[in-house]
PDB file of all heavy atoms in Angstrom:
ATOM      1  N   ASP A  26       0.879  -1.162   0.000  1.00 91.00           N
ATOM      2  CA  ASP A  26       0.000   0.000   0.000  1.00 91.00           C
ATOM      3  C   ASP A  26       0.921   1.217   0.000  1.00 91.00           C
ATOM      4  O   ASP A  26       1.245   1.786   1.035  1.00 91.00           O
ATOM      5  CB  ASP A  26      -0.899  -0.038   1.234  1.00 91.00           C
ATOM      6  CG  ASP A  26      -1.999   1.000   1.196  1.00 91.00           C
ATOM      7  OD1 ASP A  26      -1.886   1.969   0.418  1.00 91.00           O
ATOM      8  OD2 ASP A  26      -2.973   0.841   1.952  1.00 91.00           O
ATOM      9  N   TYR A  27       1.365   1.603  -1.183  1.00 92.00           N
ATOM     10  CA  TYR A  27       2.378   2.657  -1.303  1.00 92.00           C
ATOM     11  C   TYR A  27       1.944   3.983  -0.675  1.00 92.00           C
ATOM     12  O   TYR A  27       2.756   4.613   0.002  1.00 92.00           O
ATOM     13  CB  TYR A  27       2.782   2.842  -2.766  1.00 92.00           C
ATOM     14  CG  TYR A  27       3.522   1.646  -3.309  1.00 92.00           C
ATOM     15  CD1 TYR A  27       2.849   0.635  -3.985  1.00 92.00           C
ATOM     16  CD2 TYR A  27       4.895   1.497  -3.118  1.00 92.00           C
ATOM     17  CE1 TYR A  27       3.517  -0.480  -4.462  1.00 92.00           C
ATOM     18  CE2 TYR A  27       5.577   0.387  -3.596  1.00 92.00           C
ATOM     19  CZ  TYR A  27       4.884  -0.600  -4.263  1.00 92.00           C
ATOM     20  OH  TYR A  27       5.542  -1.699  -4.720  1.00 92.00           O
ATOM     21  N   PRO A  28       0.705   4.431  -0.860  1.00 89.00           N
ATOM     22  CA  PRO A  28       0.332   5.696  -0.201  1.00 89.00           C
ATOM     23  C   PRO A  28       0.446   5.630   1.330  1.00 89.00           C
ATOM     24  O   PRO A  28       0.940   6.566   1.950  1.00 89.00           O
ATOM     25  CB  PRO A  28      -1.123   5.913  -0.634  1.00 89.00           C
ATOM     26  CG  PRO A  28      -1.227   5.194  -1.937  1.00 89.00           C
ATOM     27  CD  PRO A  28      -0.353   3.975  -1.775  1.00 89.00           C
ATOM     28  N   VAL A  29       0.011   4.522   1.918  1.00 88.00           N
ATOM     29  CA  VAL A  29       0.085   4.387   3.367  1.00 88.00           C
ATOM     30  C   VAL A  29       1.538   4.337   3.834  1.00 88.00           C
ATOM     31  O   VAL A  29       1.889   4.863   4.886  1.00 88.00           O
ATOM     32  CB  VAL A  29      -0.688   3.129   3.835  1.00 88.00           C
ATOM     33  CG1 VAL A  29      -0.382   2.795   5.286  1.00 88.00           C
ATOM     34  CG2 VAL A  29      -2.183   3.341   3.649  1.00 88.00           C
ATOM     35  N   GLU A  30       2.396   3.717   3.031  1.00 91.00           N
ATOM     36  CA  GLU A  30       3.807   3.574   3.387  1.00 91.00           C
ATOM     37  C   GLU A  30       4.664   4.761   2.932  1.00 91.00           C
ATOM     38  O   GLU A  30       5.879   4.735   3.072  1.00 91.00           O
ATOM     39  CB  GLU A  30       4.369   2.296   2.772  1.00 91.00           C
ATOM     40  CG  GLU A  30       3.729   1.035   3.292  1.00 91.00           C
ATOM     41  CD  GLU A  30       4.285  -0.211   2.626  1.00 91.00           C
ATOM     42  OE1 GLU A  30       5.418  -0.164   2.115  1.00 91.00           O
ATOM     43  OE2 GLU A  30       3.586  -1.231   2.624  1.00 91.00           O
ATOM     44  N   ASN A  31       4.021   5.782   2.365  1.00 92.00           N
ATOM     45  CA  ASN A  31       4.750   6.911   1.784  1.00 92.00           C
ATOM     46  C   ASN A  31       5.777   6.436   0.766  1.00 92.00           C
ATOM     47  O   ASN A  31       6.892   6.958   0.681  1.00 92.00           O
ATOM     48  CB  ASN A  31       5.423   7.764   2.876  1.00 92.00           C
ATOM     49  CG  ASN A  31       4.411   8.468   3.740  1.00 92.00           C
ATOM     50  OD1 ASN A  31       3.455   9.046   3.231  1.00 92.00           O
ATOM     51  ND2 ASN A  31       4.598   8.406   5.041  1.00 92.00           N
ATOM     52  N   GLY A  32       5.385   5.423   0.001  1.00 93.00           N
ATOM     53  CA  GLY A  32       6.263   4.855  -1.016  1.00 93.00           C
ATOM     54  C   GLY A  32       6.386   5.773  -2.219  1.00 93.00           C
ATOM     55  O   GLY A  32       5.509   6.582  -2.511  1.00 93.00           O
ATOM     56  N   SER A  33       7.489   5.624  -2.931  1.00 95.00           N
ATOM     57  CA  SER A  33       7.762   6.437  -4.116  1.00 95.00           C
ATOM     58  C   SER A  33       7.604   5.589  -5.375  1.00 95.00           C
ATOM     59  O   SER A  33       7.496   4.362  -5.309  1.00 95.00           O
ATOM     60  CB  SER A  33       9.187   6.981  -4.047  1.00 95.00           C
ATOM     61  OG  SER A  33      10.116   5.904  -4.167  1.00 95.00           O
ATOM     62  N   TRP A  34       7.662   6.254  -6.522  1.00 95.00           N
ATOM     63  CA  TRP A  34       7.646   5.523  -7.790  1.00 95.00           C
ATOM     64  C   TRP A  34       8.903   4.673  -7.918  1.00 95.00           C
ATOM     65  O   TRP A  34       8.870   3.598  -8.517  1.00 95.00           O
ATOM     66  CB  TRP A  34       7.488   6.476  -8.971  1.00 95.00           C
ATOM     67  CG  TRP A  34       6.102   7.034  -9.049  1.00 95.00           C
ATOM     68  CD1 TRP A  34       5.723   8.332  -8.859  1.00 95.00           C
ATOM     69  CD2 TRP A  34       4.901   6.303  -9.297  1.00 95.00           C
ATOM     70  NE1 TRP A  34       4.360   8.450  -8.961  1.00 95.00           N
ATOM     71  CE2 TRP A  34       3.826   7.218  -9.241  1.00 95.00           C
ATOM     72  CE3 TRP A  34       4.617   4.966  -9.545  1.00 95.00           C
ATOM     73  CZ2 TRP A  34       2.500   6.837  -9.443  1.00 95.00           C
ATOM     74  CZ3 TRP A  34       3.293   4.586  -9.746  1.00 95.00           C
ATOM     75  CH2 TRP A  34       2.258   5.517  -9.692  1.00 95.00           C
ATOM     76  N   GLN A  35       9.983   5.113  -7.308  1.00 97.00           N
ATOM     77  CA  GLN A  35      11.197   4.290  -7.312  1.00 97.00           C
ATOM     78  C   GLN A  35      10.968   3.004  -6.528  1.00 97.00           C
ATOM     79  O   GLN A  35      11.454   1.940  -6.910  1.00 97.00           O
ATOM     80  CB  GLN A  35      12.390   5.071  -6.738  1.00 97.00           C
ATOM     81  CG  GLN A  35      13.700   4.317  -6.846  1.00 97.00           C
ATOM     82  CD  GLN A  35      14.102   4.033  -8.289  1.00 97.00           C
ATOM     83  OE1 GLN A  35      14.166   4.944  -9.105  1.00 97.00           O
ATOM     84  NE2 GLN A  35      14.354   2.759  -8.601  1.00 97.00           N
ATOM     85  N   ASP A  36      10.208   3.081  -5.441  1.00 96.00           N
ATOM     86  CA  ASP A  36       9.871   1.880  -4.665  1.00 96.00           C
ATOM     87  C   ASP A  36       9.054   0.908  -5.514  1.00 96.00           C
ATOM     88  O   ASP A  36       9.273  -0.302  -5.471  1.00 96.00           O
ATOM     89  CB  ASP A  36       9.088   2.238  -3.404  1.00 96.00           C
ATOM     90  CG  ASP A  36       9.905   3.023  -2.396  1.00 96.00           C
ATOM     91  OD1 ASP A  36      11.125   2.791  -2.311  1.00 96.00           O
ATOM     92  OD2 ASP A  36       9.312   3.879  -1.705  1.00 96.00           O
ATOM     93  N   VAL A  37       8.113   1.440  -6.280  1.00 96.00           N
ATOM     94  CA  VAL A  37       7.303   0.602  -7.171  1.00 96.00           C
ATOM     95  C   VAL A  37       8.222  -0.107  -8.165  1.00 96.00           C
ATOM     96  O   VAL A  37       8.148  -1.335  -8.349  1.00 96.00           O
ATOM     97  CB  VAL A  37       6.231   1.432  -7.919  1.00 96.00           C
ATOM     98  CG1 VAL A  37       5.525   0.591  -8.980  1.00 96.00           C
ATOM     99  CG2 VAL A  37       5.233   2.041  -6.939  1.00 96.00           C
ATOM    100  N   GLU A  38       9.088   0.661  -8.795  1.00 97.00           N
ATOM    101  CA  GLU A  38      10.015   0.094  -9.776  1.00 97.00           C
ATOM    102  C   GLU A  38      10.923  -0.958  -9.127  1.00 97.00           C
ATOM    103  O   GLU A  38      11.106  -2.055  -9.694  1.00 97.00           O
ATOM    104  CB  GLU A  38      10.867   1.205 -10.394  1.00 97.00           C
ATOM    105  CG  GLU A  38      11.799   0.705 -11.471  1.00 97.00           C
ATOM    106  CD  GLU A  38      12.587   1.820 -12.137  1.00 97.00           C
ATOM    107  OE1 GLU A  38      12.127   2.976 -12.158  1.00 97.00           O
ATOM    108  OE2 GLU A  38      13.687   1.510 -12.642  1.00 97.00           O
ATOM    109  N   ASP A  39      11.482  -0.657  -7.974  1.00 97.00           N
ATOM    110  CA  ASP A  39      12.366  -1.606  -7.280  1.00 97.00           C
ATOM    111  C   ASP A  39      11.620  -2.899  -6.942  1.00 97.00           C
ATOM    112  O   ASP A  39      12.166  -3.997  -7.110  1.00 97.00           O
ATOM    113  CB  ASP A  39      12.933  -0.986  -6.005  1.00 97.00           C
ATOM    114  CG  ASP A  39      13.921   0.143  -6.285  1.00 97.00           C
ATOM    115  OD1 ASP A  39      14.390   0.281  -7.440  1.00 97.00           O
ATOM    116  OD2 ASP A  39      14.207   0.906  -5.328  1.00 97.00           O
ATOM    117  N   ASP A  40      10.383  -2.778  -6.464  1.00 96.00           N
ATOM    118  CA  ASP A  40       9.607  -3.968  -6.111  1.00 96.00           C
ATOM    119  C   ASP A  40       9.311  -4.838  -7.333  1.00 96.00           C
ATOM    120  O   ASP A  40       9.388  -6.065  -7.259  1.00 96.00           O
ATOM    121  CB  ASP A  40       8.302  -3.577  -5.417  1.00 96.00           C
ATOM    122  CG  ASP A  40       8.515  -3.092  -3.996  1.00 96.00           C
ATOM    123  OD1 ASP A  40       9.610  -3.329  -3.432  1.00 96.00           O
ATOM    124  OD2 ASP A  40       7.585  -2.468  -3.445  1.00 96.00           O
ATOM    125  N   ILE A  41       8.987  -4.205  -8.436  1.00 97.00           N
ATOM    126  CA  ILE A  41       8.705  -4.973  -9.654  1.00 97.00           C
ATOM    127  C   ILE A  41       9.977  -5.675 -10.129  1.00 97.00           C
ATOM    128  O   ILE A  41       9.948  -6.849 -10.504  1.00 97.00           O
ATOM    129  CB  ILE A  41       8.108  -4.069 -10.750  1.00 97.00           C
ATOM    130  CG1 ILE A  41       6.707  -3.591 -10.331  1.00 97.00           C
ATOM    131  CG2 ILE A  41       8.040  -4.809 -12.097  1.00 97.00           C
ATOM    132  CD1 ILE A  41       6.120  -2.504 -11.218  1.00 97.00           C
ATOM    133  N   ARG A  42      11.089  -4.982 -10.082  1.00 97.00           N
ATOM    134  CA  ARG A  42      12.360  -5.604 -10.481  1.00 97.00           C
ATOM    135  C   ARG A  42      12.738  -6.759  -9.550  1.00 97.00           C
ATOM    136  O   ARG A  42      13.156  -7.822  -9.994  1.00 97.00           O
ATOM    137  CB  ARG A  42      13.482  -4.570 -10.503  1.00 97.00           C
ATOM    138  CG  ARG A  42      13.407  -3.624 -11.673  1.00 97.00           C
ATOM    139  CD  ARG A  42      14.658  -2.743 -11.753  1.00 97.00           C
ATOM    140  NE  ARG A  42      14.472  -1.639 -12.663  1.00 97.00           N
ATOM    141  CZ  ARG A  42      14.507  -1.747 -13.987  1.00 97.00           C
ATOM    142  NH1 ARG A  42      14.718  -2.914 -14.548  1.00 97.00           N
ATOM    143  NH2 ARG A  42      14.323  -0.686 -14.749  1.00 97.00           N
ATOM    144  N   ASP A  43      12.597  -6.551  -8.236  1.00 97.00           N
ATOM    145  CA  ASP A  43      12.994  -7.562  -7.253  1.00 97.00           C
ATOM    146  C   ASP A  43      12.110  -8.809  -7.299  1.00 97.00           C
ATOM    147  O   ASP A  43      12.597  -9.923  -7.236  1.00 97.00           O
ATOM    148  CB  ASP A  43      12.965  -6.986  -5.829  1.00 97.00           C
ATOM    149  CG  ASP A  43      14.042  -5.948  -5.596  1.00 97.00           C
ATOM    150  OD1 ASP A  43      15.016  -5.888  -6.385  1.00 97.00           O
ATOM    151  OD2 ASP A  43      13.916  -5.175  -4.623  1.00 97.00           O
ATOM    152  N   PHE A  44      10.801  -8.619  -7.404  1.00 96.00           N
ATOM    153  CA  PHE A  44       9.862  -9.737  -7.362  1.00 96.00           C
ATOM    154  C   PHE A  44       9.685 -10.380  -8.742  1.00 96.00           C
ATOM    155  O   PHE A  44       9.429 -11.570  -8.846  1.00 96.00           O
ATOM    156  CB  PHE A  44       8.521  -9.268  -6.801  1.00 96.00           C
ATOM    157  CG  PHE A  44       7.508 -10.354  -6.597  1.00 96.00           C
ATOM    158  CD1 PHE A  44       7.847 -11.537  -5.959  1.00 96.00           C
ATOM    159  CD2 PHE A  44       6.203 -10.184  -7.009  1.00 96.00           C
ATOM    160  CE1 PHE A  44       6.900 -12.539  -5.751  1.00 96.00           C
ATOM    161  CE2 PHE A  44       5.250 -11.171  -6.809  1.00 96.00           C
ATOM    162  CZ  PHE A  44       5.597 -12.350  -6.169  1.00 96.00           C
ATOM    163  N   ALA A  45       9.824  -9.583  -9.793  1.00 96.00           N
ATOM    164  CA  ALA A  45       9.644 -10.053 -11.177  1.00 96.00           C
ATOM    165  C   ALA A  45       8.324 -10.806 -11.355  1.00 96.00           C
ATOM    166  O   ALA A  45       8.296 -11.957 -11.783  1.00 96.00           O
ATOM    167  CB  ALA A  45      10.831 -10.907 -11.612  1.00 96.00           C
ATOM    168  N   PRO A  46       7.205 -10.149 -11.053  1.00 96.00           N
ATOM    169  CA  PRO A  46       5.915 -10.833 -11.162  1.00 96.00           C
ATOM    170  C   PRO A  46       5.502 -11.040 -12.617  1.00 96.00           C
ATOM    171  O   PRO A  46       5.915 -10.304 -13.507  1.00 96.00           O
ATOM    172  CB  PRO A  46       4.959  -9.865 -10.463  1.00 96.00           C
ATOM    173  CG  PRO A  46       5.562  -8.519 -10.713  1.00 96.00           C
ATOM    174  CD  PRO A  46       7.055  -8.750 -10.659  1.00 96.00           C
ATOM    175  N   SER A  47       4.659 -12.039 -12.835  1.00 97.00           N
ATOM    176  CA  SER A  47       4.091 -12.240 -14.169  1.00 97.00           C
ATOM    177  C   SER A  47       2.875 -11.342 -14.363  1.00 97.00           C
ATOM    178  O   SER A  47       2.475 -11.062 -15.485  1.00 97.00           O
ATOM    179  CB  SER A  47       3.699 -13.698 -14.374  1.00 97.00           C
ATOM    180  OG  SER A  47       2.771 -14.107 -13.386  1.00 97.00           O
ATOM    181  N   MET A  48       2.293 -10.881 -13.230  1.00 97.00           N
ATOM    182  CA  MET A  48       1.127  -9.990 -13.274  1.00 97.00           C
ATOM    183  C   MET A  48       1.267  -8.895 -12.232  1.00 97.00           C
ATOM    184  O   MET A  48       1.802  -9.135 -11.147  1.00 97.00           O
ATOM    185  CB  MET A  48      -0.156 -10.767 -12.978  1.00 97.00           C
ATOM    186  CG  MET A  48      -0.533 -11.753 -14.039  1.00 97.00           C
ATOM    187  SD  MET A  48      -2.050 -12.605 -13.614  1.00 97.00           S
ATOM    188  CE  MET A  48      -1.414 -13.792 -12.457  1.00 97.00           C
ATOM    189  N   LEU A  49       0.786  -7.721 -12.581  1.00 97.00           N
ATOM    190  CA  LEU A  49       0.708  -6.612 -11.646  1.00 97.00           C
ATOM    191  C   LEU A  49      -0.755  -6.216 -11.556  1.00 97.00           C
ATOM    192  O   LEU A  49      -1.383  -5.920 -12.578  1.00 97.00           O
ATOM    193  CB  LEU A  49       1.526  -5.411 -12.131  1.00 97.00           C
ATOM    194  CG  LEU A  49       1.371  -4.144 -11.290  1.00 97.00           C
ATOM    195  CD1 LEU A  49       2.096  -4.303  -9.957  1.00 97.00           C
ATOM    196  CD2 LEU A  49       1.885  -2.931 -12.041  1.00 97.00           C
ATOM    197  N   VAL A  50      -1.289  -6.238 -10.344  1.00 97.00           N
ATOM    198  CA  VAL A  50      -2.679  -5.845 -10.124  1.00 97.00           C
ATOM    199  C   VAL A  50      -2.670  -4.555  -9.330  1.00 97.00           C
ATOM    200  O   VAL A  50      -2.034  -4.477  -8.274  1.00 97.00           O
ATOM    201  CB  VAL A  50      -3.470  -6.928  -9.356  1.00 97.00           C
ATOM    202  CG1 VAL A  50      -4.919  -6.499  -9.163  1.00 97.00           C
ATOM    203  CG2 VAL A  50      -3.382  -8.264 -10.076  1.00 97.00           C
ATOM    204  N   ILE A  51      -3.355  -3.550  -9.842  1.00 96.00           N
ATOM    205  CA  ILE A  51      -3.430  -2.277  -9.132  1.00 96.00           C
ATOM    206  C   ILE A  51      -4.878  -1.991  -8.767  1.00 96.00           C
ATOM    207  O   ILE A  51      -5.801  -2.394  -9.473  1.00 96.00           O
ATOM    208  CB  ILE A  51      -2.848  -1.112  -9.962  1.00 96.00           C
ATOM    209  CG1 ILE A  51      -3.607  -0.932 -11.277  1.00 96.00           C
ATOM    210  CG2 ILE A  51      -1.366  -1.326 -10.219  1.00 96.00           C
ATOM    211  CD1 ILE A  51      -3.272   0.340 -12.015  1.00 96.00           C
ATOM    212  N   TYR A  52      -5.053  -1.306  -7.654  1.00 94.00           N
ATOM    213  CA  TYR A  52      -6.370  -0.849  -7.230  1.00 94.00           C
ATOM    214  C   TYR A  52      -6.466   0.621  -7.607  1.00 94.00           C
ATOM    215  O   TYR A  52      -5.596   1.406  -7.244  1.00 94.00           O
ATOM    216  CB  TYR A  52      -6.535  -1.037  -5.724  1.00 94.00           C
ATOM    217  CG  TYR A  52      -7.859  -0.535  -5.213  1.00 94.00           C
ATOM    218  CD1 TYR A  52      -9.008  -1.298  -5.379  1.00 94.00           C
ATOM    219  CD2 TYR A  52      -7.965   0.695  -4.588  1.00 94.00           C
ATOM    220  CE1 TYR A  52     -10.231  -0.840  -4.928  1.00 94.00           C
ATOM    221  CE2 TYR A  52      -9.184   1.166  -4.132  1.00 94.00           C
ATOM    222  CZ  TYR A  52     -10.312   0.385  -4.306  1.00 94.00           C
ATOM    223  OH  TYR A  52     -11.526   0.838  -3.872  1.00 94.00           O
ATOM    224  N   THR A  53      -7.485   0.963  -8.345  1.00 93.00           N
ATOM    225  CA  THR A  53      -7.637   2.351  -8.774  1.00 93.00           C
ATOM    226  C   THR A  53      -8.857   2.993  -8.120  1.00 93.00           C
ATOM    227  O   THR A  53      -9.815   2.309  -7.763  1.00 93.00           O
ATOM    228  CB  THR A  53      -7.787   2.445 -10.305  1.00 93.00           C
ATOM    229  OG1 THR A  53      -8.976   1.750 -10.709  1.00 93.00           O
ATOM    230  CG2 THR A  53      -6.598   1.842 -11.021  1.00 93.00           C
ATOM    231  N   THR A  54      -8.760   4.300  -7.973  1.00 91.00           N
ATOM    232  CA  THR A  54      -9.908   5.077  -7.502  1.00 91.00           C
ATOM    233  C   THR A  54     -10.121   6.230  -8.471  1.00 91.00           C
ATOM    234  O   THR A  54      -9.195   6.641  -9.176  1.00 91.00           O
ATOM    235  CB  THR A  54      -9.681   5.653  -6.090  1.00 91.00           C
ATOM    236  OG1 THR A  54      -8.638   6.620  -6.148  1.00 91.00           O
ATOM    237  CG2 THR A  54      -9.327   4.561  -5.092  1.00 91.00           C
ATOM    238  N   ILE A  55     -11.284   6.739  -8.497  1.00 91.00           N
ATOM    239  CA  ILE A  55     -11.637   7.807  -9.436  1.00 91.00           C
ATOM    240  C   ILE A  55     -10.756   9.040  -9.223  1.00 91.00           C
ATOM    241  O   ILE A  55     -10.415   9.738 -10.164  1.00 91.00           O
ATOM    242  CB  ILE A  55     -13.142   8.153  -9.352  1.00 91.00           C
ATOM    243  CG1 ILE A  55     -13.589   8.991 -10.543  1.00 91.00           C
ATOM    244  CG2 ILE A  55     -13.493   8.840  -8.062  1.00 91.00           C
ATOM    245  CD1 ILE A  55     -13.706   8.244 -11.822  1.00 91.00           C
TER     246      ILE A  55
END
């Protein structure tokens, strides 16, 4: 939960690189 953790876009990128998922699921709000 990047907003709750005060995460950055760099954190998102690092997590995707580290985990190397086959799917990314995001929760969106209006």
Side-chain angles (χ1 to χ4, degrees):
D26 190 342
Y27 293 94
V29 168
E30 296 178 23
N31 293 315
S33 67
W34 288 113
Q35 186 62 53
D36 293 327
V37 172
E38 183 177 334
D39 291 345
D40 287 344
I41 292 170
R42 286 188 193 284
D43 291 343
F44 185 48
S47 58
M48 292 180 281
L49 173 73
V50 181
I51 60 169
Y52 178 79
T53 62
T54 66
I55 194 74

